[in-house]
Amino acid sequence: MKSVRYILSTMCDGGGVESFFENAAAQLMRAGWTVELAVLGRYDSSLVQRHRKCGIAVSCFTDGTKKDTFFSLLFQYPALKRFLRAEPGLITHMNTCSHSVVIVLHCLKALGCRVRILHSHTSPAENLSLLRRLRYAAVRQYAQKTATKMVACSKAAAYFLFPQKQIEAGRVTILSNGIELERFAFDQSRRAVQRQKLGKGDAWIIGAVGRLEEEKNLEYLLCCFAVFQKACPDALLLLVGEGSLRGKLEQKARELGLGPRVAFTGRVQNVEDYFCAMDLFVMPSRYEGMPMALLEAQCSGLPCVVSDGVPPESCRFGNVTRLALKAGCKAWADAFGEAARAQQKRQEAFRRLIGAADVETMGKALCRLYKDDADCESLA
């Protein structure tokens, strides 16, 4: 029986890494693999139960409320070894970019785990402190010595976690994220139904999808929208997702006088319907790896305006404008306006992602990756 164990820092609904895992697990199980999941830090218990019902063996290291920091794992190292103990031949696929990965890699090697794949899902923020840069430099050096395979969702994500020499030598595999194209393809009837549910009629809807957290830079988006709204008073900003900054963002919207022109949906299960309802997708993130939401927006045929913190290779499937955050709110508002005037043909947009960013292609790439590692005699 072919088996693989995924290790994640968190398991919370709406996250990009979590979406990657769900898509990967579904494809691998369809191909006859047994999939296990080990969660080191915070998790949503309902999501854990959902995975278990799908046949995934899920184990959790904490009670779901604690983060997997470097020092928390270091102080609990004996317990971590017991938690991660498994057959030496089990392929282990780590999906974490925190400093704690050093402890996890050390633990897996000590346990005799022969296949240790480290997967980078994010790119660096421009304003990283010197201390954090030094920490990640140490992670890079340890990763190349301890991981048996290095994987990244984009070149930017590769340079974030792995040494430049390893990347240029071709020792880092770039594995693009994949999405369900049929699910996210544009549908006019779903658009009409969702806009009716929103009660916004013919409003021009700008949307953002993702966790309401610092790295998504949504307070900046509110300021940009406030500028745009002066020229387009009927526009609506739709923020799809949940997070710790929701209260702060709602307060900011009130301070800017946006009131009912900004809608917070909270966590939703039918995000594809919201994409259909939108007219423009925006992503002002400080940094990203290979954002699932941007792939989904392009699949739905939406024009997109994204920051220069978004890797270029994730912008190649549609009408995407990359704009520097330092360009300022006026430039961003002007970009929104240009998108509003553009004519869009959304029905066939999904075809651009076939063979490049669909779940089937990603699943085949994972099977090849695991087969190469499992058959490598040097790992024994």
Side-chain angles (χ1 to χ4, degrees):
M1 178 68 72
K2 300 172 290 185
S3 300
V4 59
R5 172 176 57 177
Y6 280 78
I7 297 179
L8 271 65
S9 289
T10 61
M11 176 50 65
C12 300
D13 210 2
V17 177
E18 289 87 342
S19 295
F20 162 78
F21 167 73
E22 289 186 21
N23 291 337
Q27 292 301 308
L28 290 168
M29 292 171 73
R30 193 171 299 165
W33 286 73
T34 296
V35 178
E36 300 177 16
L37 171 63
V39 184
L40 299 178
R42 295 170 179 166
Y43 61 86
D44 184 329
S45 57
S46 62
L47 195 56
V48 168
Q49 291 303 319
R50 191 171 85 195
H51 289 326
R52 285 173 175 161
K53 288 180 180 178
C54 291
I56 300 170
V58 184
S59 54
C60 303
F61 186 59
T62 72
D63 62 1
T65 62
K66 301 178 180 65
K67 293 181 67 175
D68 61 321
T69 66
F70 177 91
F71 289 108
S72 69
L73 294 185
L74 179 63
F75 293 149
Q76 299 180 80
Y77 187 77
L80 183 66
K81 286 188 72 173
R82 292 192 295 272
F83 177 72
L84 293 176
R85 184 172 286 113
E87 290 296 322
L90 178 65
I91 297 171
T92 299
H93 189 150
M94 289 164 284
N95 296 265
T96 176
C97 293
S98 68
H99 309 121
S100 62
V101 73
V102 170
I103 305 298
V104 179
L105 279 168
H106 184 278
C107 184
L108 290 170
K109 186 174 182 179
L111 288 168
C113 175
R114 295 196 294 265
V115 184
R116 305 178 296 274
I117 302 172
L118 181 58
H119 195 151
S120 175
H121 289 273
T122 192
S123 59
E126 289 186 356
N127 59 346
L128 277 180
S129 66
L130 176 61
L131 179 58
R132 293 192 69 185
R133 290 179 187 275
L134 290 173
R135 286 176 178 172
Y136 279 115
V139 171
R140 290 188 199 100
Q141 294 306 312
Y142 195 78
Q144 71 169 334
K145 296 177 182 178
T146 316
T148 60
K149 179 81 76 173
M150 293 174 283
V151 181
C153 62
S154 66
K155 287 185 179 179
Y159 281 104
F160 173 66
L161 197 60
F162 305 121
Q164 183 175 344
K165 289 183 179 180
Q166 298 292 329
I167 299 168
E168 294 175 350
R171 298 193 183 100
V172 178
T173 301
I174 304 299
L175 195 154
S176 295
N177 291 337
I179 62 171
E180 299 176 77
L181 302 188
E182 185 176 350
R183 175 185 173 190
F184 290 99
F186 178 73
D187 185 283
Q188 183 62 45
S189 61
R190 282 192 294 166
R191 173 180 170 86
V193 170
Q194 190 60 40
R195 288 176 73 93
Q196 184 178 16
K197 289 180 179 178
L198 290 169
K200 299 305 177 182
D202 296 328
W204 200 75
I205 299 178
I206 299 175
V209 176
R211 291 180 182 170
L212 309 186
E213 301 296 345
E214 193 67 33
E215 63 270 19
K216 301 303 180 183
N217 205 19
L218 296 175
E219 188 169 336
Y220 180 77
L221 174 56
L222 288 172
C223 294
C224 296
F225 179 71
V227 175
F228 177 73
Q229 213 257 339
K230 293 175 182 177
C232 187
D234 292 332
L236 172 74
L237 178 59
L238 189 64
L239 299 181
V240 182
E242 191 57 83
S244 63
L245 296 184
R246 178 166 178 170
K248 181 179 179 180
L249 292 170
E250 289 175 334
Q251 177 63 29
K252 183 66 175 181
R254 288 191 293 269
E255 291 174 0
L256 292 170
L258 297 175
R261 306 316 301 175
V262 179
F264 293 83
T265 70
R267 189 174 296 156
V268 301
Q269 297 300 321
N270 61 328
V271 65
E272 63 274 16
D273 295 336
Y274 286 87
F275 279 120
C276 288
M278 295 174 192
D279 297 291
L280 171 69
F281 177 78
V282 290
M283 180 173 277
S285 302
R286 290 184 169 86
Y287 55 89
E288 292 282 352
M290 183 76 164
M292 291 286 198
L294 179 56
L295 297 179
E296 293 160 0
Q298 291 174 90
C299 184
S300 189
L302 282 165
C304 306
V305 178
V306 305
S307 73
D308 52 357
V310 176
E313 57 258 56
S314 62
C315 304
R316 57 194 173 98
F317 305 108
N319 178 13
V320 182
T321 300
R322 290 179 80 241
L323 196 60
L325 290 173
K326 63 183 180 182
C329 290
K330 178 63 166 59
W332 276 72
D334 289 345
F336 298 167
E338 290 176 14
R341 291 186 290 271
Q343 295 294 319
Q344 306 297 328
K345 295 181 179 179
R346 299 178 61 177
Q347 281 79 1
E348 300 298 314
F350 74 94
R351 297 188 183 280
R352 300 169 185 163
L353 287 79
I354 296 175
D358 57 279
V359 289
E360 292 81 10
T361 299
M362 184 186 73
K364 292 175 183 177
L366 283 169
C367 288
R368 289 194 298 270
L369 176 74
Y370 297 155
K371 186 176 187 299
D372 287 346
D373 263 347
D375 292 346
C376 183
E377 293 181 359
S378 66
L379 298 179

